[in-house]
Amino acid sequence: MQETSAVFRRLHLLTFVHYAFLAIIGFVIAWTTSPESSIQRSSLIFSVIYLVIMGPISLAKYLRFRYYVTSEELVMHYGVFKRVRRNIPSDRVQNVAIERNFLARILGTAVVKIETAGTAQAEGVLSFVSVREANRIRDLLHTAETTHTPEEDTPALPSFHLALPRLLISSVYQFSLGLFAVLVGVLQQLELAGLLNIEVTARHILERYFFEITSSQEYTLAMLITALILITLVLCWILGFAQNFIRYYNFHIELGLEKIHRKYGLITLREGTLPYKRVQSLLIRSNPLMRLHDWYRMEMQTLGLESGERGFQPAMPFAKWAEIVALGSKIRPFTVPETYTRISRLTIRRRCLRYTLLILAPAATLYLWWPYAVWGLTLLPIAWGIAWLQYLYHSWTFHDGNLFIRRRILSQQLWVVPVERFQAFEINATFFQRRLGLCTLRVDTAGAGVLRHPKIIDLKRDEAEKLLAELYDVFRGRAKQD
């Protein structure tokens, strides 16, 4: 065990370098996105005022921030106008996450985030301390696990490592529209700054690389749209490839006796531990192309963790189905069911009606000004096909104390929800569901997200009531045992 120390310490002196770097980045963005000289002068004046005001405040924050850590607690004193003392007992600490971005790795510093089960955000953040100090804090707060004792020879703990060749393969399957939207925003800012003309550049690229074989200088609108779509798809794939590679570089997870230890990241290195009791459910994701080659991704839906993925932590970013089952069943015990029960076929009728209304309404409105809007009706067969596929890919089963739910067509999901993790049971029905005798069964777990949560859509009402009663009875039985 590390030696106990109740001496107050300050943050690393190079913390000011991080502050200065962020200020410089903000100033450069404000300057380059302001094409007019008057706006640039205003940005410069604002930056000077900001530096004059925030400089002393940042220095005061640094001087006022003190902390000490022992094996019993972490104590922090901070605040300029409002002074705060925060005590975090070590027995309440669930995770000590150590993060190091690119600049921190150059400077030899790290951010330490102390997380408990009480909130969805870190209870304490130390930005920045030395790497040695970060490891000392983690050890003192009892989050570093001993994998074996000197007296006994313990077998190797279950683990998973995403090797570089597999990481490169996994990146091939990635596709990011979000990053493409960011890229478009950057290009627009460059155009506003007078550094780029998007229309001229795009036309030059299309004429040089896509239409140079044509003898005519005139090309149809359909050709332009097709070329633009192809370029967009390629850019989305390239950006998705880069994002996946940077995020999961050197990913490693090890299952300890009480906690899960993870370490990953290229630019920002993330390292931390996660207690098993905070894992609420497992989410296994895939898509048709990945499933064709037996590739899957498993995430853990966790309680209270501060996460850029809205409560979902990566467990196995890219693995075979057998690897998913072998490691996932040790995080949350489960056995793979042999059969699933499909939802009601009436869901096809309900979804077809919904998609028909969504297509007819805008098509009829636009037809008054644009007669070609009638071609929008050609989307109806595609929409009806999607409704049928949604029926085929949505099924469920309650097996061995876990509720399994399969959903989605392209971004396919398989939920594994232990019954003892249930927090609430809900049955709801929309107007059209009530007319067809259907409803949606939803189960909530602690820390579940707003958008992504396990639910079974379009169950027959009597089946939903029967399943809810069964789940609730098993849940109460498990609660009494605990």
Side-chain angles (χ1 to χ4, degrees), residues 147-221:
T147 57
H148 64 276
T149 61
E151 294 79 10
E152 58 182 0
D153 185 15
T154 305
L157 296 171
S159 63
F160 172 79
H161 176 67
L162 187 60
L164 182 59
R166 181 176 290 195
L167 175 61
L168 293 173
I169 295 174
S170 70
S171 300
V172 173
Y173 292 90
Q174 302 307 311
F175 190 83
S176 179
L177 282 173
L179 284 177
F180 178 75
V182 173
L183 177 61
V184 171
V186 172
L187 293 177
Q188 289 178 341
Q189 294 299 326
L190 292 176
E191 186 176 37
L192 291 175
L195 301 176
L196 178 70
N197 189 310
I198 297 178
E199 181 180 355
V200 173
T201 304
R203 185 176 294 275
H204 173 72
I205 293 175
L206 291 175
E207 292 178 349
R208 181 173 181 180
Y209 297 102
F210 291 89
F211 300 111
E212 59 180 355
I213 59 174
T214 60
S215 58
S216 174
Q217 296 296 324
E218 299 292 332
Y219 36 82
T220 64
L221 178 62

Side-chain angles (χ1 to χ4, degrees), residues 267-390:
I267 297 178
T268 299
L269 180 62
R270 294 179 172 87
E271 182 178 1
T273 56
L274 173 68
Y276 288 99
K277 60 184 178 181
R278 295 187 70 174
V279 179
Q280 302 298 300
S281 62
L282 299 177
L283 176 58
I284 302 172
R285 303 173 61 188
S286 185
N287 58 55
L289 186 59
M290 289 176 62
R291 286 168 61 92
L292 182 64
H293 299 95
D294 192 34
W295 292 115
Y296 297 85
R297 173 183 177 181
M298 183 171 70
E299 300 174 353
M300 302 174 289
Q301 188 261 308
T302 58
L303 167 64
L305 279 177
E306 183 180 18
S307 169
E309 299 182 350
R310 299 180 181 178
F312 289 84
Q313 303 290 323
M316 302 178 74
F318 196 70
K320 295 292 186 179
W321 176 252
E323 296 173 328
I324 293 284
V325 174
L327 194 71
S329 60
K330 292 180 172 59
I331 298 175
R332 293 301 314 167
F334 70 90
T335 57
V336 180
E338 296 182 358
T339 59
Y340 288 82
T341 302
R342 284 206 180 114
I343 57 176
S344 172
R345 288 183 63 91
L346 292 175
T347 187
I348 301 176
R349 184 189 305 178
R350 186 182 70 85
R351 293 179 186 273
C352 285
L353 178 60
R354 173 198 289 180
Y355 298 149
T356 300
L357 293 177
L358 289 176
I359 293 174
L360 286 180
T365 303
L366 292 175
Y367 181 76
L368 300 176
W369 295 276
W370 190 44
Y372 290 103
V374 71
W375 286 98
L377 299 180
T378 58
L379 297 175
L380 287 176
I382 299 176
W384 297 336
I386 291 175
W388 179 72
L389 289 175
Q390 287 177 325

Side-chain angles (χ1 to χ4, degrees), residues 47 194 261 439 459:
S47 299
H261 182 77
C439 62
L459 277 175

